[in-house]
Amino acid sequence: MEPMIFDEIPYDWLEPGTYIEVKPNYRTMGILPYPVRNLIAGQKLAAGTLAPGQFVEVVRPEQAIALFGQGSIGAEQVIAFRKANKTQPLFVTAVVDDPGAVKASGTLTFTGAVAAAVVLRFKIAGKAVRITAQAGATVATMATALKDAINADPSLVVTAASNAGVVTVTARNGGEVGNDIDLRVDTKAQPLPSGLAVAIAPMAGGAGNPNLQPVLDAIANTWYTAVQHPWSDATNMGVFAAWLAERYKAMSKLDVHGYVAKRGSFAALGAFGDLTNSPFLTAAGLNKPPTSSWILSATLMGLCSFHLANDPARQLRSLVLPGVEAPDPVDQFVEVEQDLLLRKGISTFDCLADGTVTVSRVATTYKVSNLGVPDRAWLDIMVPATMSRIRYDWAGYVTLLYPRSKLVDDDNGAAFTSRSDGDEDPGNGVVTPRRMHGSWAARCRLYNDRAWIEDIARTVKESVFQRNVDDKNRLESRQQVRIVGNLMTLAGSLEFQV
C-alpha cells in the first residue's frame, strides 16, 4: 500500500485530534481558462493624453478619443476593435509621429457647374460628408463648402484646404500609413448631376512611419494574446514578425498573434504578403475599400480574438466584420485572385451586395519552411491558435497536478498505484513517465471532446514520455496531435445519367 503524503500535517504528530487538510484534486479538471489580452499600438496626435510607453486598459470606445486625440488613427483602431469585440480585455499604447514624417495628401478637383440645387455626397476615410450646392454655384464655392464640411468633423483623420475649385485633403497623422486613406464621391448614395465632375487624386506622398520596436521592447515579458498596429511598411513588418516568432518559442511561452492590414491592388498585396513568412502573423487587405486599413485589421483582431477564444480550431468563414465597407464591385478581387493572395499569405474576404464584408479565410503569412520548401503546415490561423491553447492548458495542468512531485522510473516500487480502478494517481507525490503519459491521454480526451484534435488513439500511442538518461530530474516527451480539419472546400462531381 502506498504511503499517504500530506502537505500540512506532520508525519510524526502525536497529539490526539482530527486534522484534515483541504486541497483541490486536479485529476479530472476541465480545460483551463485562457487569459486573453489584446493590445493595440495606435498612432496618436498631440492632443492625446496617453504618453508613449504607457499601457492602459480601455473598456469604452470613447476613451480612445481622449487617449489618442480626436481624429487620430489610434482612436479609430480602438473604436473599430470594440465594434467587433465588446467583452475581452483590450490594452492600448500610443506612438507619436516620427519626427521626420511626411503627411499624405490627396485632392478633389471640381469642374463644371450645377443647373439646380443639389446635395453632393462624398466619403472621406470611409465617413459620409455632404454639402448642398446651389444652382449656378461655382467650382470654388463647392470646393470651399466641401473643405468646411470636412473640417467641421473633428473625428475625421484628415483636414482640408481649398483653392480655385481644388480641395486638398491632408492626413492628421504623418507617415505612409496615411496613404491608405480613401477619398471618393459617394455615387452609391447619389450620383453627381449632369454637368459636374469631381476628379480625385488618391492620398499619396506619406512617408516615415513610426518605429514599432520600442513598443515591442516594452512588452518583452508581458502576456498578450493578440497585437495589432497600423504600419505595413517593410521595416515594421520585419521586426514584428521576428518578435512574434521569439515569443512562441518553448523558453518564452508568451504566445501572441499579430494583425496588420494594407490597402492595395492585387500586386501590391502580393508584395505585402511576401514581406514576412510568419506562422503568427495575419496580413489582410482589400483593393480600394472605403474603410481604412487600420480599421480592417483592428476589426479582424477583435473578431478573431473573440471567436478563437471560444473555439481555437473552428474556422472563421462567413463572420461579418462590423464597420468595414466593401470596395466597389469593379475593385473586388475575383476568386482566382483570392486564391493567389492566400498563397502569398494574405487573408481574404467576401463582399456582399449590400456592402457587408465577411471573412473568407484567415491565414498566416507562413508559406515556406526554413529551407524554402513550400509548406502549408501553418496556413490557417486555427493552427497556431489551437496549439497555443493546448500548450497553455497542458503546461498549466501539469503544474497543478504535479507541483512538487518526485520523478522515478516506471518499474520503481514507489510508483505502483493502489487505486482499485487501476488508474494512475499522483497522490503519493511521485510521477513516472507512464503516469505522465496517462495524464496526457486524459487531457487529449478533453481536447478531442471539444473537437480541437482528432484520432486520439493514434495521438496517445505515438506520444512518448521518457526519463533523461543523464539527468534524473528531467522528464522528456514527444507529444503528437492531429488538429481537426475544417470544411473549406467541397469538390464534387455532379453527374447526370443518359
Side-chain angles (χ1 to χ4, degrees):
M1 180 177 293
E2 297 179 22
M4 292 289 184
I5 305 297
F6 297 100
D7 294 324
E8 302 170 2
I9 304 171
Y11 81 98
D12 58 351
W13 189 257
L14 300 177
E15 177 65 20
T18 300
Y19 306 95
I20 306 294
E21 64 180 46
V22 178
K23 57 185 176 183
N25 187 316
Y26 297 105
R27 286 184 59 254
T28 59
M29 70 178 299
I31 297 294
L32 291 171
Y34 195 58
V36 174
R37 279 168 56 103
N38 300 285
L39 174 67
I40 285 177
Q43 197 163 343
K44 73 183 289 286
L45 296 172
T49 60
L50 184 59
Q54 287 185 313
F55 294 80
V56 300
E57 186 171 6
V58 173
V59 177
R60 300 176 183 272
E62 57 268 23
Q63 291 176 268
I65 296 173
L67 293 171
F68 292 95
Q70 194 165 28
S72 65
I73 289 174
E76 288 204 333
Q77 291 172 254
V78 175
I79 292 169
F81 176 92
R82 277 301 181 211
K83 284 183 180 179
N85 189 322
K86 302 181 187 303
T87 58
Q88 289 182 341
L90 172 63
F91 292 80
V92 299
T93 189
V95 181
V96 300
D97 286 3
D98 185 83
V102 178
K103 295 181 179 181
S105 63
T107 60
L108 299 94
T109 302
F110 289 80
T111 56
V114 291
V118 64
V119 174
L120 304 178
R121 300 176 186 274
F122 304 85
K123 279 196 172 177
I124 308 297
K127 294 185 177 180
V129 176
R130 52 174 285 176
I131 62 173
T132 300
Q134 302 298 329
T138 66
V139 293
T141 300
M142 289 183 284
T144 299
L146 178 57
K147 176 261 296 184
D148 291 341
I150 291 172
N151 291 335
D153 186 352
S155 70
L156 287 173
V157 293
V158 297
T159 59
S162 67
N163 182 41
V166 179
V167 179
T168 300
V169 176
T170 303
R172 293 183 189 270
N173 281 113
E176 52 258 52
V177 66
N179 298 334
D180 279 6
I181 295 171
D182 182 74
L183 308 176
R184 70 178 59 205
V185 180
D186 193 1
T187 55
K188 289 182 179 179
Q190 187 168 340
L192 289 175
S194 177
L196 178 68
V198 180
I200 295 177
M203 297 288 283
N209 279 340
N211 182 6
L212 179 64
Q213 190 64 60
V215 173
L216 304 180
D217 292 341
I219 56 174
N221 298 309
T222 307
W223 175 265
Y224 289 105
T225 52
V227 175
Q228 180 266 347
H229 65 81
W231 309 295
S232 59
D233 59 278
T235 300
N236 280 321
M237 290 293 287
V239 299
F240 195 34
W243 179 80
L244 293 168
E246 190 65 31
R247 288 177 66 98
Y248 205 85
K249 290 181 179 178
M251 303 310 293
S252 299
K253 293 188 299 181
L254 292 168
D255 303 10
V256 62
H257 200 85
Y259 297 84
V260 188
K262 181 179 177 63
R263 168 191 175 93
S265 64
F266 171 77
L269 291 179
F272 176 48
D274 283 338
L275 290 177
T276 55
N277 185 56
S278 171
F280 320 113
L281 175 60
T282 287
L286 292 168
N287 182 35
K288 298 181 182 178
T291 305
S292 299
S293 58
W294 51 85
I295 292 178
L296 172 61
S297 56
T299 303
L300 183 61
M301 182 176 79
L303 199 70
C304 292
S305 291
F306 179 85
H307 289 280
L308 292 175
N310 290 340
D311 188 342
R314 187 180 183 185
Q315 66 170 311
L316 302 157
R317 186 181 181 188
S318 80
L319 294 177
V320 174
L321 282 79
V324 175
E325 186 177 351
D328 291 339
V330 68
D331 296 319
Q332 295 172 15
F333 296 123
V334 299
E335 282 190 340
V336 172
E337 290 172 319
Q338 300 245 100
D339 183 75
L340 293 173
L341 285 173
L342 283 167
R343 297 169 191 267
K344 292 282 191 176
I346 300 296
S347 297
T348 55
F349 306 93
D350 292 325
C351 302
L352 307 185
D354 64 354
T356 299
V357 176
T358 64
V359 171
S360 179
R361 191 166 191 169
V362 181
T364 75
T365 66
Y366 180 83
K367 299 169 286 292
V368 297
S369 71
N370 292 338
L371 298 177
V373 179
D375 183 10
R376 295 184 180 178
W378 298 88
L379 170 64
D380 290 299
I381 193 174
M382 297 87 70
V383 174
T386 302
M387 295 306 294
S388 289
R389 285 294 293 275
I390 291 176
R391 176 162 71 172
Y392 180 86
D393 179 81
W394 172 244
Y397 179 73
V398 170
T399 300
L400 291 171
L401 194 62
Y402 303 107
R404 299 173 57 229
S405 291
K406 294 166 283 187
L407 176 62
V408 300
D409 294 330
D410 289 326
D411 57 1
N412 189 302
F416 296 156
T417 181
S418 61
R419 288 174 55 89
S420 59
D421 58 7
D423 199 3
E424 300 291 355
D425 189 345
N428 64 350
V430 173
V431 66
T432 69
R434 188 179 69 181
R435 276 190 177 170
M436 191 64 76
H437 200 161
S439 296
W440 170 242
R443 295 317 275 178
C444 284
R445 285 192 290 271
L446 287 182
Y447 307 148
N448 180 77
D449 290 345
R450 284 160 176 76
W452 293 0
I453 63 173
E454 58 184 336
D455 197 2
I456 63 167
R458 179 179 174 184
T459 288
V460 174
K461 180 179 179 181
E462 294 182 351
S463 296
V464 177
F465 292 79
Q466 62 187 26
R467 199 175 182 188
N468 185 280
V469 295
D470 299 317
D471 185 352
K472 66 179 180 180
N473 300 311
R474 179 177 174 127
L475 181 61
E476 298 174 332
S477 68
R478 180 179 292 111
Q479 294 156 261
Q480 305 287 334
V481 295
R482 183 180 180 187
I483 299 174
V484 297
N486 278 269
L487 179 59
M488 296 286 188
T489 305
L490 174 62
S493 176
L494 182 61
E495 304 172 0
F496 66 96
Q497 295 184 354
V498 293

